């Protein structure tokens, strides 16, 4: 039967037909047409979904690429443009007072502490003790400076190792010399080797009676990245530490800055009158700059081969990824924290890095992609000019110097940079290129040293993990669980904390919904529509979408409507969320031979056949590195992939609430795997309007095949379930270990119903982890007197939908009859 798209088009067609018949003297037919015209269905019936190719008041959807491709591309482009906008708006985060050096230092004190937190250098250091091997060897007994292996204490169970270069005679200055992480400390003491032009700056300084400490850094080798009893990986050592530390609000950068600051503690204790310089190249330059920005005891800083524009941070190795850094700090802003002290920037070549390497012997191939290239001289100059304005306003322009080594491509620690550094610490310049020989008393075993350093940091991070449940319990213990009313009010503050600190909060969408739809299938029981909504328009062109492949953030999915919807009837909705690399159709297909059916069991189809309206959204975790890079682009602005997903769901809920068949107070969420991850992040932060705001929200949530002791799953290097061994490098959420685990997130659902679906053979985690975490949720609901609103179902099966207890849970709490006739 022909489907007329409007009353007007139907009537126009009838009038045209009547006119034709009259003019052709077909008098016996007009009466039939008049009957048809009079019997045209009512407006509501005309809009019944099974008769329409476009849903309701939406426009026709014209999407040429797959929905997931358009979605991921749009978010990625949006995130990249937001980085550029942040650069322009960064000055708003500061209130610098240039009236005097003292006023200036006071005016940036807040940002200094903020930077310390961002890099995770927040743990208390222990009293420093420096141990020197071969105590009987001193420079005074040697005709030349002596380099000896040393160890010094840093934090509980963590030490630093490196070389101490003792000059002849009493030192007149002190320096901490940081090599690139691809170099060994002795390369700054001895002559260049291995084809890498490394100037032995430590030897040059020692020749001028400077005491020098050269710490060893964690490298980007992967020899120790993994657990030989579980699996080894191709993650760099720095990424291996980064992953577990990031989840605990710590960082490989922060750990190594702490080692530098512990060295400053030693110098402050033993050589308090000496000027102190911190110098570094490449990764060492990064650490030198951050250390000097944080610790005002450092008088002079030399940064070689690191300083530049930082908006492409997401392309660098993931071990440089810093949560919320670029909201407040570019390199020029970090340099401004060093003012009014002296800072020397050297544009030079650095060891270049491409990750993953071509070494396929390390399996699995889990490393996050990243690269380091020598910065263009233009990029260095532009950032230097931004930094220079602060030194100029303080009337100390000579305290900031730019040295260019062979047009920016020469080696680090050039002769000019060395002379400027020596002058800054009141030491004479070098008379010639002749370098005083340094006696290296012992050649340390660099491999064994790195393994020790790795093991210490890993043990420290694992201790943080094991203690974190007590930290979270203390943080959440002040909340009153005596009544639902009091808890509901307190939960508002807790939601805000989680959203801001752990997930990252975007402004609420202000774009019109601008729905576009198209009917994609019709069955005997239901009809399916593909849907696209606007969330955030193109940042550079904030206009509603005029075509569907336009850049910007969109939401989308497939809406399933039962054919037996009655006029004026409103039904509950189940939003079912697919897992990693999935699509909405994976949850709909009834093809039992398909891989999708093995996981989802056609759950969306099952639910619509039970009479629910079902919406299967497309989430943007599809496309491997194409979507994972969104996390990399977003983290420096204090955002994550779920920052976008939350707002996509907010818009989706708003749109669902406009549909005449939807009961906006009965919209439930149910997700499998990554969809289960969504179930404990999105519905808890999107409560219904009667709880917190005027927007519609989720009235219940079901987490399937994901709920577990999430902190341990991300941090542990002793459990085979851990993400430290896999390629899902986007899983890590800043300081989650000290903010909220799955139990805490699930409590934010209360007083709304919450359920866990768990297969005994699910490889996500063992049953014990799941039961441990859920017990805390059940206790919370019981204390509120609503224990009947939460439950867990264990079943014999793998990582899949079971659809038994969960279906009953949906029917009960959505107040929809549970019978096979619907």
């Amino acid at each position: 039967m022909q489907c007329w798209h409007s009353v007007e088009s139907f009537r126009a067609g009838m009038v045209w037909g009547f006119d034709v018949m009259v003019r052709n003297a077909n008098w016996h037919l007009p009466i039939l047409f008049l009957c048809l015209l009079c019997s045209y269905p009512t407006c509501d019936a005309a809009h019944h979904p099974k008769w329409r190719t476009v849903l309701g008041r939406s426009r026709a959807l014209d999407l040429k690429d797959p929905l997931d491709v358009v979605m991921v591309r749009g978010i990625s482009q949006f995130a990249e443009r937001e980085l550029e906008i942040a650069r322009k708006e960064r000055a708003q985060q500061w209130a610098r007072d240039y009236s005097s050096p003292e006023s200036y230092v006071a005016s940036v004190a807040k940002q200094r502490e903020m930077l310390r937190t961002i890099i995770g250098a927040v743990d208390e250091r222990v009293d420093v003790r420096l141990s020197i091997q071969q105590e009987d060897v001193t420079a005074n007994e040697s005709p030349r400076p002596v380099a000896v292996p040393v160890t010094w204490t840093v934090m509980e169970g963590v030490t630093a190792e490196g070389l101490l270069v003792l000059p002849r005679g009493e030192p007149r200055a002190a320096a901490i010399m940081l090599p690139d992480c691809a170099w060994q400390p002795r390369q700054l003491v001895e002559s260049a080797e291995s084809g890498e032009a490394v100037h032995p700056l430590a030897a040059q300084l020692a020749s001028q009676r400077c005491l020098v400490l050269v710490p060893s850094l964690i490298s980007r080798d992967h020899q120790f990245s993994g657990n030989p009893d579980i699996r080894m990986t191709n993650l760099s050592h720095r990424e291996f530490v980064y992953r577990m530390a990031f989840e605990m609000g710590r960082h490989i950068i922060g750990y190594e800055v702490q080692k530098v600051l512990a060295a400053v503690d030693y110098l402050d204790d033993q050589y308090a009158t000496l000027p102190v310089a911190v110098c570094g190249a490449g990764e060492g330059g990064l650490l030198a700059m951050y250390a000097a920005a944080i610790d005002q005891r450092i008088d002079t800083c030399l940064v070689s081969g690191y300083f530049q524009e930082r908006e492409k941070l997401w392309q660098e190795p993931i071990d440089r990824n810093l949560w919320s850094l670029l909201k407040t700090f570019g390199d020029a802003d970090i340099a401004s924290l060093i003012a009014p002290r002296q800072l020397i920037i050297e544009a030079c070549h650095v060891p270049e890095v491409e990750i993953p390497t071509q070494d396929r012997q390390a399996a699995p191939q889990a490393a996050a992609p990243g690269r380091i290239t020598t910065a263009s001289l233009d990029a260095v100059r532009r950032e230097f000019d931004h930094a220079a304005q602060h030194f100029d306003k303080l009337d100390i322009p000579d305290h900031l110097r730019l040295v260019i080594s062979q047009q920016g491509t020469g080696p680090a620690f050039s002769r000019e940079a060395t002379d400027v550094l020596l002058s800054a610490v009141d030491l004479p310049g070098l008379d010639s290129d002749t370098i005083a020989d340094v006696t290296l008393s012992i050649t340390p075993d660099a491999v064994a040293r790195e393994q020790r350093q790795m093991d210490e940091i890993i043990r420290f991070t694992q201790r943080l993990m094991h203690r974190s449940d007590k930290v979270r319990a203390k943080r959440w213990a002040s909340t009153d669980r005596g009544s639902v009313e009091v808890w509901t009010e307190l939960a508002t503050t807790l939601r805000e904390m989680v959203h801001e600190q752990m997930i990252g909060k975007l402004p609420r969408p202000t774009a019109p919904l601008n729905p576009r739809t198209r009917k994609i299938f019709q069955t005997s029981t239901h009809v399916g529509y593909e849907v696209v909504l606007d969330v955030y328009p193109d940042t550079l062109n904030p206009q509603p979408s005029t075509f569907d492949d336009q850049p910007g953030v969109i939401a989308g999915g497939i809406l399933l409507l039962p054919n037996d919807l009655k006029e004026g009837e409103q039904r509950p909705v189940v939003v079912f969320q697919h897992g990693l690399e999935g699509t909405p159709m994976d949850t709909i297909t009834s093809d039992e031979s398909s891989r999708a059916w093995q996981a989802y069991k056609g759950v969306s189809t099952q639910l619509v056949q039970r009479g629910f309206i079902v919406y299967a959204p497309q989430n943007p975790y599809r496309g491997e590195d194409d979507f994972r890079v969104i996390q990399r682009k977003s983290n420096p602005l204090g955002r994550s992939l779920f920052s976008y997903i939350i707002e996509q769901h907010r818009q989706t809920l708003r749109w669902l609430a406009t549909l005449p068949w939807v009961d906006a107070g009965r919209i439930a969420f149910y997700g499998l795997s990554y969809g289960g991850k969504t179930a404990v992040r999105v519905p808890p932060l999107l409560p219904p309007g009667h709880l917190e705001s005027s927007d519609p929200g989720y009235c219940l949530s079901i987490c399937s095949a994901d709920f577990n002791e999430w902190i341990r799953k991300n941090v542990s290097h002793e459990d085979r379930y851990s993400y430290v061994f896999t390629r899902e490098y986007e899983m890590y959420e800043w300081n989650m270990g000290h903010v909220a685990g799955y139990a805490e997130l699930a409590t934010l659902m209360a007083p709304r119903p919450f359920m866990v679906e768990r297969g005994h053979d699910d490889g996500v985690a063992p049953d014990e982890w799941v039961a441990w975490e859920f017990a805390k949720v059940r206790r919370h609901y019981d204390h509120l007197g609503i224990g009947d609103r939460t439950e867990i179902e264990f079943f014999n099966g793998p990582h899949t939908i079971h659809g038994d207890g969960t279906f009953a849970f949906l029917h009960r709490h959505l107040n929809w009859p549970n019978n096979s006739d619907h």
Side-chain angles (χ1 to χ4, degrees):
M1 178 179 177
Q2 173 71 34
C3 177
W4 298 93
H5 294 291
S6 69
V7 174
E8 290 76 14
S9 60
F10 179 86
R11 287 173 177 166
M14 294 299 102
V15 171
W16 172 84
F18 186 86
D19 181 65
V20 168
M21 287 181 288
V22 169
R23 283 188 285 108
N24 286 277
N26 294 322
W27 296 103
H28 62 287
L29 294 176
I31 296 174
L32 174 61
F33 268 76
L34 286 172
C35 292
L36 284 172
L37 185 61
C38 293
S39 65
Y40 179 80
T42 67
C43 184
D44 283 341
H47 284 260
H48 195 287
K50 66 182 178 181
W51 296 115
R52 297 180 57 80
T53 57
V54 175
L55 188 64
R57 299 178 180 177
S58 63
R59 293 191 297 107
L61 175 63
D62 180 20
L63 200 64
K64 298 176 178 61
D65 290 331
L67 173 60
D68 62 280
V69 172
V70 176
M71 178 182 291
V72 169
R73 182 172 61 222
I75 297 174
S76 190
Q77 292 172 352
F78 179 91
E80 198 166 346
R81 287 189 290 271
E82 288 287 288
L83 288 168
E84 294 298 330
I85 291 172
R87 177 182 179 88
K88 298 171 184 176
E89 297 179 346
R90 201 171 289 145
Q92 300 172 17
Q93 306 296 319
W94 299 76
R96 297 180 177 93
D97 182 350
Y98 300 101
S99 61
S100 70
E102 294 76 18
S103 298
Y104 179 82
V105 168
S107 72
V108 299
K110 175 183 175 182
Q111 284 77 12
R112 196 184 313 280
E113 289 309 305
M114 185 186 302
L115 181 63
R116 184 191 297 274
T117 300
I118 286 172
I119 66 172
V122 296
D123 296 291
E124 184 178 352
R125 294 192 300 278
V126 299
D127 292 338
V128 66
R129 297 188 307 277
L130 186 140
S131 303
I132 304 176
Q133 296 183 30
Q134 291 187 302
E135 294 274 1
D136 56 326
V137 177
T138 66
N140 288 332
E141 298 171 354
S142 171
R144 53 194 179 191
V146 175
V148 294
V150 292
T151 301
W152 61 98
T153 52
V154 182
M155 300 177 294
E156 179 190 359
V158 177
T159 63
E161 294 191 49
L163 296 177
L164 176 64
V165 186
L166 300 165
R168 293 189 64 206
E170 286 298 314
R172 295 185 293 183
I176 301 166
M177 181 67 52
L178 295 155
D180 182 76
C181 65
W183 300 343
Q184 296 299 327
R186 63 186 177 83
Q187 291 178 262
L188 296 180
V189 174
E190 300 176 334
S191 58
E193 57 182 57
S194 303
E196 182 67 58
V198 182
H199 282 190
L201 181 59
Q204 292 176 317
L205 295 180
S207 73
Q208 302 304 102
R209 290 176 58 184
C210 182
L211 179 80
V212 185
L213 258 174
V214 188
S216 172
L217 303 187
I218 300 297
S219 75
R220 290 196 175 91
D221 292 339
H222 55 71
Q223 183 177 356
F224 307 119
S225 295
N227 184 327
D229 294 330
I230 300 174
R231 67 178 71 92
M232 302 303 292
T233 75
N234 72 333
L235 272 64
S236 75
H237 293 163
R238 298 187 74 80
E239 181 179 352
F240 192 70
V241 171
Y242 157 86
R243 288 196 184 191
M244 61 181 71
F246 195 88
E247 193 81 0
M248 303 309 303
R250 305 299 190 272
H251 205 286
I252 180 64
I253 291 173
Y255 285 150
E256 293 195 321
V257 165
Q258 289 276 53
K259 294 186 177 189
V260 176
L261 301 187
V264 176
D265 294 341
Y266 168 75
L267 295 174
D268 191 44
D269 181 60
Q270 298 294 317
Y271 302 92
T273 61
L274 298 182
V276 175
V278 173
C279 323
E283 215 67 31
L286 177 158
L287 297 171
M289 185 168 72
Y290 280 71
I294 287 172
D295 197 326
Q296 297 178 76
R297 296 174 298 173
I298 297 168
D299 300 295
T300 300
C301 179
L302 167 61
V303 179
S304 296
Y306 177 74
F307 190 88
Q308 63 162 314
E309 294 170 317
R310 202 54 61 187
E311 279 60 49
K312 299 295 184 182
L313 176 60
W314 57 274
Q315 295 180 344
E316 299 176 37
I318 197 171
D319 55 76
R320 290 183 171 184
N321 180 52
L322 288 164
W323 176 260
S324 79
L325 175 74
L326 296 181
K327 287 173 67 174
T328 306
F329 302 99
D331 283 8
D333 298 289
I334 297 172
S336 78
L337 293 177
I338 299 174
R341 294 163 290 144
Q342 300 194 69
L343 173 61
I344 306 154
I345 304 298
E346 183 179 31
C348 63
H349 173 76
V350 294
E352 301 197 338
V353 174
E354 187 74 32
I355 300 174
T357 64
Q358 297 304 308
D359 182 1
R360 298 296 175 184
Q361 310 253 332
Q365 296 292 305
R371 64 179 181 269
I372 296 174
T373 58
T374 298
S376 73
L377 187 54
D378 286 345
V380 178
R381 286 188 188 277
R382 285 193 296 269
E383 196 68 12
F384 179 87
D385 290 342
H386 282 293
Q389 63 181 321
H390 306 299
F391 288 80
D392 291 344
K393 290 177 181 178
L394 286 167
D395 200 24
I396 49 171
D398 57 330
H399 282 212
L400 178 65
R401 294 284 300 275
L402 176 61
V403 176
I404 300 171
S405 176
Q406 299 175 19
Q407 300 302 309
T409 60
F413 308 142
S414 63
R415 174 63 183 271
E416 183 183 356
T418 303
D419 285 342
V420 174
L421 173 63
L422 288 168
S423 174
V425 293
D426 297 324
L427 292 177
L430 300 175
D431 293 332
S432 68
D433 288 332
T434 303
I435 301 170
D437 289 333
V438 174
T439 300
L440 184 58
S441 62
I442 297 176
T443 301
D445 183 336
V447 174
R449 177 177 60 199
E450 178 149 18
Q451 186 171 22
R452 286 192 301 272
Q453 296 286 281
M454 281 273 291
D455 288 346
E456 288 179 359
I457 292 176
I458 289 171
R459 282 196 299 269
F460 184 87
T461 309
Q462 297 300 304
R463 283 196 299 272
L464 289 175
M465 175 195 71
H466 288 301
R467 297 168 180 170
S468 66
D469 64 319
K470 298 176 181 61
V471 175
R472 296 193 306 275
K474 184 177 180 180
R475 190 170 195 169
W476 291 64
S478 60
T479 55
D480 187 345
R481 292 168 169 80
S483 71
V484 168
E485 293 74 23
V486 173
W487 166 254
T488 300
E489 184 175 343
L490 291 170
T492 301
T493 301
L494 294 170
R495 283 189 190 95
E496 192 71 15
M497 175 194 70
V498 169
H499 203 164
E500 288 279 1
Q501 296 182 20
M502 191 188 90
I503 291 175
K505 196 169 187 179
L506 283 162
R508 291 197 177 190
T510 57
L513 293 170
N514 190 24
R516 287 89 76 200
T517 65
R518 62 186 174 196
K519 184 160 68 173
I520 54 175
F521 61 80
Q522 174 100 42
T523 75
S524 60
T525 58
H526 59 279
V527 61
Y529 287 89
E530 189 173 23
V531 179
V532 170
L533 309 169
D534 284 345
V535 182
Y536 297 105
D538 183 346
T539 305
L540 301 181
N541 181 28
Q543 301 295 327
S545 298
T546 54
F547 55 93
D548 298 311
D549 293 322
Q550 177 175 322
V553 180
I554 60 171
I558 296 176
L559 179 71
L560 304 183
L561 295 168
N563 285 343
D564 62 353
L565 279 169
K566 304 293 192 301
E567 181 181 345
E569 180 184 19
Q570 289 189 325
R571 294 192 187 181
V573 178
V574 179
V575 174
F576 187 87
Q577 189 64 67
H578 63 77
L580 180 64
E581 297 294 338
T583 67
M585 280 305 299
D586 291 341
T587 76
I588 295 169
T589 182
S590 297
D591 179 2
E592 296 187 13
S593 65
S594 69
R595 184 176 178 180
W597 191 90
Q598 297 303 316
Y600 298 103
K601 304 291 191 295
V603 59
S604 292
T605 298
Q606 289 193 59
L607 289 169
V608 73
Q609 289 175 344
R610 285 172 171 263
F612 296 109
I613 294 172
V614 178
Y615 186 69
Q618 177 68 59
N619 264 7
Y621 38 72
R622 181 170 165 86
E624 297 288 349
D625 288 333
D626 286 345
F627 88 80
R628 292 190 168 102
V629 78
I630 294 172
Q631 191 89 323
R632 294 293 317 277
K633 293 176 180 179
S634 302
N635 277 183
L637 295 181
R639 298 170 181 172
S640 68
L641 187 64
F642 273 92
S643 301
Y644 305 96
I645 293 173
I646 286 172
E647 301 310 325
Q648 288 176 313
H649 278 260
R650 194 189 304 276
Q651 285 289 78
T652 297
L653 288 164
R654 288 172 175 169
W655 173 72
L656 287 171
T658 68
L659 300 181
W661 319 284
V662 168
D663 181 346
R666 290 189 292 167
I667 304 178
F669 187 94
Y670 185 0
L672 174 78
S673 192
Y674 223 123
K677 181 178 177 177
T678 308
V680 293
R681 286 166 177 78
V682 174
L685 299 187
L686 293 179
H690 69 276
L691 287 182
E692 214 164 281
S693 70
S694 59
D695 287 332
Y698 287 112
C699 69
L700 70 79
S701 182
I702 300 174
C703 176
S704 178
D706 186 73
F707 193 87
N708 71 93
E709 216 287 46
W710 191 258
I711 311 304
R712 186 171 180 176
K713 182 172 175 61
N714 279 270
V715 179
S716 174
H717 76 311
E718 299 174 340
D719 295 283
R720 65 182 179 87
Y721 313 98
S722 177
Y723 282 122
V724 299
F725 304 115
T726 72
R727 101 172 250 98
E728 286 94 343
Y729 54 82
E730 86 288 352
M731 287 293 180
Y732 293 87
E733 294 158 291
W734 175 248
N735 202 27
M736 185 174 182
H738 294 121
V739 175
Y742 270 21
E744 288 81 17
L745 292 174
T747 62
L748 294 178
M749 280 301 300
R752 296 166 289 160
F754 175 76
M755 183 177 179
V756 171
E757 183 177 47
R758 162 71 191 179
H760 289 305
D761 302 321
D762 192 332
V764 164
D767 282 346
E768 293 80 356
W769 290 15
V770 179
W772 159 275
E773 198 71 5
F774 182 77
K776 293 181 276 187
V777 180
R778 180 56 186 263
R779 181 175 60 221
H780 175 75
Y781 275 74
D782 281 345
H783 283 171
L784 292 175
I786 52 172
D788 60 332
R789 297 187 193 178
T790 188
E791 61 185 80
I792 187 169
E793 180 189 30
F794 289 96
F795 64 93
N796 283 319
H799 190 73
T800 184
I801 289 294
H802 185 51
D804 186 0
T806 54
F807 285 5
F809 191 81
L810 288 168
H811 281 285
R812 182 166 68 256
H813 291 288
L814 292 177
N815 193 26
W816 185 250
N818 186 0
N819 60 71
S820 57
D821 294 334
H822 237 312

